[in-house]
Amino acid sequence: MGIRFILMVNKQGQTRLAQYYEWLTLEERRALEGEIVRKCLARNEQQCSFVEHRNYKIVYRRYASLFFLVGVDNDENELAILEFIHLLVETMDRHFGNVCELDIMFHLEKAHFMLEEMVMNGSIVETSKANILSPIQLMEKAS
Amino acid sequence: MNPFSSGNRLRDMIRAIRACKTAAEERAVVRKECAAIRAAINENDQGYRHRNLAKLMFIHMLGYPTHFGQMECLKLIASAGFPEKRIGYLGLMLLLDERQEVLMLVTNSLKQDLNHSNQYIVGLALCALGNISSAEMARDLAPDVERLLQFRDPNIRKKAALCSIRIIKKVPDLVENFMYPAASLLKEKHHGVLVTGVQLCTGLCKVSSEALEYFRENCTEGLVKTLRDIANSPYSPEYDVAGITDPFLHIRLLMLLRLLGQGDADASDCMTDILAQVASRTESNKNAGNAILYECVQTIMSIEDNGGLRVLAINILGRFLSNRDNNIRYVGLNMLMKAIVVEAKAVQRHRATILECVKDSDASIQKRALELVYLLVNESNVKPFTKELIEYLEVSDQEFKGDITAKICSLVEKFSPEKIWYIDQMLKVLSEAGNFVKDEVWHALIVVISNASDLHGYTVRALYRAFQASTEQESLVRVAVWCIGEYGDMLVNNVGMLDIEEPITVTESDAVDAIEVAIKHHRSDLTTKAMALIALFKLSSRFPACSERIKDIIFQNKQSLLLELQQRSIEFNCILQKYHNIRSALLERMPILDETTLRGRKDGSLPTAVSTSTIIPCDLPNGVAEPAAAPIGDLLDLSLDDVPPPISSCGDILQDLLAIDLSPASALSGTSHPPKAGTDVLLDLLSIGTLVPAETSPSALDISSSGQDNKAPLANSNGLASLPLLIADSPASSAGMMDLLDAFDPITQKLEENGPAYPSIVAYESRSLRMTFNFSKQPGNPRTTFILATFTNLSPNVYNDFLFQAAVPKFLQLHLDPASSSTLPASGDGSITQNLKVNNTQHGKKSLAMRIRIAYKTNNDDILEEGKINNFPRDL
């Protein structure tokens, strides 16, 4: 329900982070990622950020060299998801300090932790950056 | 250090992978790493386990299989340290899913962790459970999760709330347990808990209606108050997004209010104030504000009617639509689609904007706008809309043309106020985008044209003009060719001019030229060429002056490599040369095609009432070469061996080719040209032992094109009898003549004109059904027997979809007329009758024999009865 998957893909089409909230086999995932990324990469700046694909919608936004794609159900509020993407980026920014694609790649598990604090089972859990980052900061202090 | 460990840290591996220039290199690196990890797993190495798992996750994300790492996750989860547990749970959630049996092993660890003293570990467990628990796990661990809903730490509570959503989805019986705790969650102050609490309630409402009732009564006011507080709250740095406090919470609350207010007037009343406040006071220059407004409008549209609110909502919609940002416009269009159900008039006001959106360069917006246009069209505004759409068709891109064309065609068909307008629009569409038009559409156009008899002249002239302008669009060429063939005399003589037309002079040879162009054009496909040949043939009778020239053109195709064309040209040539006397009868103007039958067929129902006509069966409506078919068939069936004469029965071939339960299209109209072929196909099939049904309700199927294609496929690809068509330049003339004459007999024979009388027999009787045959023959024709079959229902249930099929041995030929109805009333209250005509070529030497199959539906069961009839009178 709600969010089906979250993907971060760079401009060459390589997946940097993938979190699925519904089960798909590996081949299905690769096929899906390929199709969607091709569609989004082909669009230009002027076009709107929502793409319809099969029976759900993709909301995407480009930040520097990385595309953030969120697949949602048809009855979800798209503008809210856009806000959520922005929130996600800001949270990562606060943690990593000027986050870039390499940060996400090399600290993949931290990116996942953050995402997990924010979204669970396809629904948004927490939207306050402080609350999201506190367990992660605690963990870093401990290790 | 373990000699088998790869020694790399995660980032080294990532660096190595990034350094690969080709996919093969990357695969090699990954394989090496996987091997190292596998070896480490075998060694049961403690130290680097979490590092290995992190690597596995990266590799998994790249798309390689990593199932060997699943047990590692479990071991990590079971270890005591927090980082290990963390990675273990993360790996669990990424690498596994709820269907794996490995998950069962985790249940115990999860249970322990849910009761752990360290709240972060509890949080981890809840997270994992919430993301991938299966139904059994959910059931086992539900009590723990319930308890945690009231834990002191808000972080745990919020996670427990989301976890509960998954649990109730997997195990709906547990809903009652969660209802009360969920209600208490709604009174929280912590935003995180609130958001999840609201989502839990939404989930509960969706799953169970008693939960919905409960929440509706108890919580609506509370929710309204919460929303009011949030909307009015002062600036809070934690949750602020673009000046609005926690828009996510706003939106979730609005969603829940929508669910609660739908269909319930009291709840809706409670909400009206706050909705009005939110709608009017939220700033809309930022995305967050717009998101809230969007949700607000959706809620207003769904709850019970309140005039003032609706007006407010529509105003907001209007603002969205004129916004420059594409996202907002898309969202506005979305809202309009939902609003149109409720407030159609208001939406009509925005018609112009919507039309603008259809022309937008953005594909998503175009699609939405087009759907919206389709919903908006009604009789009064169909003309301007269509005009706009057709103008747009000329400039749109290729991939979009198909969609637009389909929409325009269906619009025009549904709402056209008058025939001439319909024909005009369709002509324009065909000229622009004929290649995208589906077959049914131009078939329907032909039907309409033939029905509009006063417009024939106008139509054919318009088509001629369009045809002269361009021959690129196949459908246009086909329709034009058909019309010129049919109404060529009107074209030449300027018959039936309407006031708005300009006069054009077309001579007979011009018309023939046009068709010749169609035949010779390199892009015309088989259907077009075949149609053109027929049209020429028709013209040969209407324009006797050009007859020589037409004969030449037809003759040229005799050597064509395409079977269909060759066959047609030879047959037509035959008729032109030898059978002048029947030619004019063959080529009379076609009768009006029956629109209702066509529509009924399109709607998927089998028309049971079919107009039987006593026209000479050869003069067939859609100008398909069935007239030629009859002679050929008869010419050939003298050699009665295994050659099934390739007679048309479109349905049968289609049936064979497509394996669909079609009824034979012998004609567009409802004329009953009984598929003489049905049996001929059967002849050969009988030897293989399967029954091909000779179906009897001729309804138009895939109409002219299939009709035209029928001969070729039947002749050479019937799969069962792939015998080459022996073209009859034939010798069979005399016998052929006789059979031709036979075919001219109207099938609906009156039984009074009988020769010797034959006793009627009970052909088939079972416990539930009786079938009797009454025989009659024509006086001069001992070989042909007319049989009247009567079916009586012997059971107390009504039979529906009654279908009778028959097969005969090779020396017989069988025609089946349509049955009188397809419903057989119970207990002999009524009966179905059906006419059959059997031609016994071995009359006098062998008597009739027949295998039958009867299918019907009773009490929702499909029943099939089969049998053999041996008790025919001897001298039939």
Side-chain angles (χ1 to χ4, degrees):
Chain A
M1 89 137 198
I3 301 181
R4 306 256 185 128
F5 55 83
I6 301 183
L7 296 174
M8 294 186 203
V9 184
N10 77 353
K11 283 213 280 209
Q12 278 78 40
Q14 295 171 310
T15 314
R16 293 300 175 209
L17 183 145
Q19 175 82 299
Y20 286 84
Y21 296 101
E22 54 169 8
W23 169 249
L24 292 173
T25 62
L26 267 185
E27 299 83 34
E28 283 172 18
R29 283 187 200 189
R30 287 173 93 169
L32 181 73
E33 281 168 31
E35 275 179 51
I36 298 181
V37 166
R38 229 173 300 135
K39 268 194 194 175
C40 293
L41 288 180
R43 292 163 80 84
N44 60 18
E45 293 288 319
Q46 264 58 38
Q47 297 182 320
C48 77
S49 303
F50 315 123
V51 177
E52 274 156 55
H53 179 84
R54 301 211 198 143
N55 58 339
Y56 42 74
K57 294 191 274 221
I58 318 274
V59 181
Y60 74 92
R61 199 174 244 185
R62 195 186 123 242
Y63 287 87
S65 64
L66 207 54
F67 277 86
F68 286 75
L69 299 99
V70 180
V72 292
D73 287 333
N74 267 323
D75 52 357
E76 190 74 35
N77 185 334
E78 300 95 341
L79 297 175
I81 300 292
L82 264 183
E83 279 305 313
F84 167 71
I85 296 180
H86 194 69
L87 183 69
L88 177 61
V89 173
E90 278 185 359
T91 314
M92 287 201 289
D93 198 49
R94 201 197 271 196
H95 181 77
F96 290 111
N98 272 340
V99 67
C100 65
E101 190 185 335
L102 288 179
D103 283 324
I104 300 183
M105 275 178 61
F106 282 109
H107 301 285
L108 186 61
E109 67 276 8
K110 294 214 190 85
H112 267 284
F113 294 158
M114 252 183 287
L115 195 52
E116 236 164 67
E117 293 286 329
M118 293 173 76
V119 181
M120 206 165 93
N121 192 21
S123 324
I124 300 180
V125 173
E126 183 62 66
T127 52
S128 145
K129 296 196 252 293
N131 288 352
I132 296 171
L133 291 175
S134 63
I136 303 181
Q137 282 156 352
L138 274 178
M139 199 176 83
E140 296 215 335
K141 254 188 271 174
S143 60
Chain B
M1 197 154 81
N2 191 315
F4 290 110
S5 92
S6 66
N8 292 350
R9 308 170 69 190
L10 175 63
R11 61 184 70 173
D12 297 331
M13 180 187 91
I14 298 181
R15 258 191 224 124
I17 292 185
R18 264 168 65 85
C20 295
K21 303 268 187 318
T22 69
E25 271 185 56
E26 183 181 303
R27 274 198 296 270
V29 171
V30 168
R31 230 176 302 152
K32 203 155 82 71
E33 289 288 342
C34 282
I37 297 178
R38 266 192 291 247
I41 294 178
N42 283 340
E43 288 288 312
N44 219 345
D45 170 28
Q46 295 273 28
Y48 292 111
R49 212 178 256 153
H50 63 277
R51 182 191 290 176
N52 287 338
L53 193 59
K55 287 188 203 167
L56 266 182
M57 284 194 297
F58 190 85
I59 294 176
H60 177 84
M61 190 180 74
L62 290 176
Y64 299 96
T66 48
H67 37 272
F68 53 85
Q70 287 169 1
M71 289 308 287
E72 283 295 287
C73 298
L74 298 185
K75 288 186 203 146
L76 276 174
I77 293 177
S79 56
F82 183 76
E84 280 90 14
K85 268 198 204 280
R86 194 79 183 81
I87 284 270
Y89 274 118
L90 185 62
L92 187 74
M93 277 183 284
L94 284 181
L95 301 177
L96 279 94
D97 75 299
E98 64 185 58
R99 281 177 258 173
Q100 310 262 11
E101 293 86 20
V102 176
L103 269 192
M104 301 305 288
L105 298 173
V106 182
T107 316
N108 202 20
S109 309
L110 274 176
K111 200 173 176 64
Q112 285 180 342
D113 285 337
L114 278 177
N115 298 323
H116 209 275
S117 48
N118 183 340
Q119 59 163 338
Y120 291 105
I121 295 189
V122 178
L124 280 184
L126 278 172
C127 211
L129 192 61
N131 278 342
I132 58 168
S133 77
S134 61
E136 294 85 25
M137 286 170 69
R139 209 185 289 268
D140 290 335
L141 297 170
D144 293 292
V145 176
E146 257 181 77
R147 185 178 46 81
L148 288 170
L149 272 176
Q150 278 127 16
F151 203 76
R152 51 186 158 74
D153 185 53
N155 286 326
I156 300 297
R157 269 178 295 171
K158 76 185 184 203
K159 294 190 183 178
L162 275 184
C163 202
S164 327
I165 300 186
R166 193 180 176 94
I167 293 183
I168 55 177
K169 266 201 228 154
K170 293 283 170 193
V171 190
D173 321 328
L174 295 175
V175 164
E176 296 96 36
N177 304 1
F178 286 102
M179 266 184 351
Y180 303 106
S184 58
L185 276 182
L186 289 177
K187 305 195 183 81
E188 295 275 345
K189 289 276 181 281
H190 185 267
H191 282 218
V193 185
L194 256 184
V195 154
T196 55
V198 167
Q199 290 184 65
L200 176 57
C201 295
T202 318
L204 280 170
C205 292
K206 283 195 189 142
V207 172
S208 125
S209 52
E210 56 171 82
L212 180 61
E213 284 305 314
Y214 175 74
F215 286 124
R216 199 177 262 166
E217 281 160 44
N218 302 351
C219 305
T220 317
E221 285 127 24
L223 283 172
V224 170
K225 183 167 168 310
T226 317
L227 186 55
R228 204 191 319 255
D229 288 341
I230 305 250
N232 296 336
S233 73
Y235 176 75
S236 131
E238 276 195 356
Y239 291 105
D240 178 85
V241 175
I244 306 180
T245 321
D246 208 348
F248 298 100
L249 185 56
H250 269 104
I251 294 177
R252 289 285 163 205
L253 282 170
L254 283 168
M255 257 191 219
L256 182 56
L257 283 177
R258 180 160 83 225
L259 267 184
L260 292 180
Q262 215 160 15
D264 185 86
D266 298 328
S268 311
D269 278 335
C270 284
M271 302 178 208
T272 42
D273 288 338
I274 187 62
L275 282 175
Q277 182 187 344
V278 170
S280 40
R281 283 178 43 183
T282 316
E283 298 175 5
S284 65
N285 45 357
K286 287 292 169 70
N287 190 30
N290 284 330
I292 297 184
L293 282 175
Y294 178 35
E295 197 63 40
C296 200
V297 169
Q298 279 189 335
T299 308
I300 293 179
M301 287 300 166
S302 318
I303 64 177
E304 293 303 306
D305 185 77
N306 181 324
L309 269 187
R310 292 258 167 94
V311 170
L312 202 53
I314 304 274
N315 286 347
I316 300 181
L317 273 184
R319 272 201 333 253
F320 272 24
L321 274 183
S322 39
N323 195 312
R324 266 180 308 125
D325 183 0
N326 279 346
N327 292 342
I328 310 282
R329 275 197 294 169
Y330 178 88
V331 160
L333 285 173
N334 237 357
M335 274 202 274
L336 271 182
M337 285 225 304
K338 298 195 185 119
I340 201 169
V341 177
V342 185
E343 284 274 341
K345 286 198 307 288
V347 182
Q348 292 279 0
R349 257 182 276 138
H350 297 286
R351 207 167 63 213
T353 336
I354 298 177
L355 272 176
E356 283 301 312
C357 289
V358 175
K359 307 187 186 151
D360 199 282
S361 54
D362 185 328
S364 309
I365 292 192
Q366 271 179 337
K367 252 195 277 184
R368 278 268 175 246
L370 204 58
E371 282 173 28
L372 201 49
V373 160
Y374 192 57
L375 288 174
L376 271 185
V377 166
N378 56 30
E379 284 81 17
S380 53
N381 57 17
V382 66
K383 284 198 182 167
F385 256 130
T386 325
K387 189 158 141 315
E388 289 271 351
L389 284 178
I390 292 187
E391 277 170 19
Y392 181 53
L393 187 62
E394 300 167 16
V395 297
S396 64
D397 337 307
Q398 289 295 72
E399 46 205 36
F400 211 41
K401 264 194 178 154
D403 282 340
I404 299 194
T405 319
K407 280 267 157 39
I408 297 181
C409 293
S410 47
L411 276 184
V412 167
E413 211 173 335
K414 255 180 29 179
F415 290 114
S416 76
E418 55 203 15
K419 292 210 159 64
I420 184 170
W421 184 82
Y422 176 63
I423 295 181
D424 271 339
Q425 303 305 315
M426 286 309 291
L427 237 60
K428 282 201 205 123
V429 170
L430 281 181
S431 327
E432 264 313 310
N435 290 334
F436 294 100
V437 168
K438 293 208 185 60
D439 285 340
E440 290 102 37
V441 175
W442 61 267
H443 294 159
L445 175 61
I446 290 189
V447 173
V448 169
I449 292 180
S450 87
N451 269 313
S453 33
D454 45 337
L455 292 176
H456 284 163
Y458 171 72
T459 315
V460 70
R461 278 186 287 275
L463 277 171
Y464 181 76
R465 271 185 277 246
F467 185 72
Q468 298 290 70
S470 113
T471 52
E472 279 197 4
Q473 307 288 344
E474 280 298 315
S475 318
L476 180 66
V477 171
R478 287 181 199 159
V479 175
V481 153
W482 186 88
C483 280
I484 296 182
E486 266 303 299
Y487 308 122
D489 47 342
M490 288 194 187
L491 175 65
V492 172
N493 301 327
N494 273 336
V495 170
M497 290 279 285
L498 302 179
D499 298 329
I500 49 177
E501 285 186 68
E502 304 159 1
I504 63 171
T505 41
V506 183
T507 65
E508 295 178 352
S509 61
D510 285 340
V512 178
D513 281 340
I515 305 194
E516 195 176 351
V517 163
I519 295 190
K520 299 237 167 86
H521 195 63
H522 59 272
R523 275 223 246 148
S524 317
D525 63 350
L526 178 59
T527 318
T528 319
K529 288 192 179 153
M531 282 177 85
L533 272 179
I534 291 250
L536 273 181
F537 192 42
K538 289 186 201 166
L539 283 184
S540 80
S541 136
R542 306 204 209 289
F543 296 160
C546 296
S547 175
E548 273 309 306
R549 186 172 159 208
I550 293 180
K551 222 197 277 187
D552 283 336
I553 302 179
I554 296 186
F555 195 78
Q556 282 169 14
N557 278 303
K558 247 177 137 173
Q559 319 280 0
S560 157
L561 288 175
L562 294 167
L563 180 59
E564 178 75 21
L565 296 181
Q566 189 185 60
Q567 181 176 358
R568 283 182 193 218
S569 85
I570 291 183
E571 289 167 3
F572 295 162
N573 223 5
C574 239
I575 299 190
L576 281 175
Q577 283 173 342
K578 297 187 195 148
Y579 300 116
H580 304 289
N581 49 339
I582 59 168
R583 189 178 64 167
S584 49
L586 269 183
L587 298 172
E588 278 174 10
R589 182 97 66 213
M590 292 205 331
I592 307 259
L593 302 170
D594 189 357
E595 270 184 277
T596 51
T597 325
L598 174 64
R599 217 161 273 152
R601 191 268 318 156
K602 258 173 45 173
D603 295 341
S605 52
L606 285 179
T608 47
V610 163
S611 53
T612 58
S613 68
T614 52
I615 317 176
I616 300 172
C618 299
D619 180 11
L620 277 180
N622 58 6
V624 171
E626 286 177 308
I632 281 293
D634 285 331
L635 288 174
L636 276 189
D637 72 6
L638 301 179
S639 54
L640 268 186
D641 3 50
D642 293 341
V643 180
I647 307 243
S648 60
S649 171
C650 319
D652 287 345
I653 312 120
L654 283 181
Q655 189 138 13
D656 293 343
L657 290 181
L658 304 177
I660 306 175
D661 189 22
L662 304 169
S663 41
S666 51
L668 248 189
S669 83
T671 60
S672 64
H673 179 65
K676 181 175 169 186
T679 355
D680 299 322
V681 175
L682 280 181
L683 289 188
D684 225 33
L685 290 181
L686 263 192
S687 57
I688 308 189
T690 52
L691 261 186
V692 167
E695 309 237 17
T696 63
S697 39
S699 61
L701 258 201
D702 266 337
I703 331 176
S704 35
S705 62
S706 54
Q708 286 143 11
D709 287 335
N710 61 21
K711 292 222 297 267
L714 178 49
N716 62 358
S717 67
N718 205 343
L720 298 172
S722 51
L723 287 171
L725 179 54
L726 304 176
I727 304 294
D729 260 356
S730 159
S733 1
S734 53
M737 251 341 215
M738 252 245 302
D739 283 337
L740 263 185
L741 285 181
D742 266 354
F744 278 106
D745 293 335
I747 302 298
T748 49
Q749 185 65 262
K750 296 196 200 19
L751 287 178
E752 289 86 66
E753 308 169 354
N754 282 345
Y758 294 90
S760 56
I761 59 169
V762 174
Y764 172 79
E765 183 155 15
S766 72
R767 258 191 306 122
S768 45
L769 185 66
R770 182 192 302 136
M771 177 171 86
T772 48
F773 280 171
N774 290 310
F775 303 102
S776 64
K777 279 196 200 269
Q778 271 191 299
N781 200 352
R783 285 208 267 164
T784 309
T785 314
F786 295 98
I787 307 180
L788 178 66
T790 316
F791 304 96
T792 335
N793 182 348
L794 298 177
S795 83
N797 304 319
V798 177
Y799 295 160
N800 297 316
D801 296 339
F802 191 92
L803 188 66
F804 168 69
Q805 302 163 346
V808 288
K810 297 173 206 169
F811 59 88
L812 294 175
Q813 286 151 359
L814 174 65
H815 295 249
L816 282 165
D817 276 355
S820 59
S821 96
S822 76
T823 309
L824 191 55
S827 307
D829 267 352
S831 57
I832 297 181
T833 56
Q834 196 159 3
N835 277 319
L836 298 85
K837 175 175 158 220
V838 182
N839 190 7
N840 185 352
T841 52
Q842 307 260 8
H843 176 70
K845 296 182 220 142
K846 294 193 189 171
S847 67
L848 301 185
M850 196 185 280
R851 270 211 204 120
I852 60 162
R853 183 197 267 178
I854 303 177
Y856 54 90
K857 267 202 192 89
T858 168
N859 281 347
N860 289 332
D861 294 349
D862 288 18
I863 306 208
L864 195 64
E865 301 190 11
E866 295 179 350
K868 202 163 184 306
I869 308 179
N870 297 329
N871 50 345
F872 282 102
R874 266 252 64 184
D875 43 355
L876 269 184

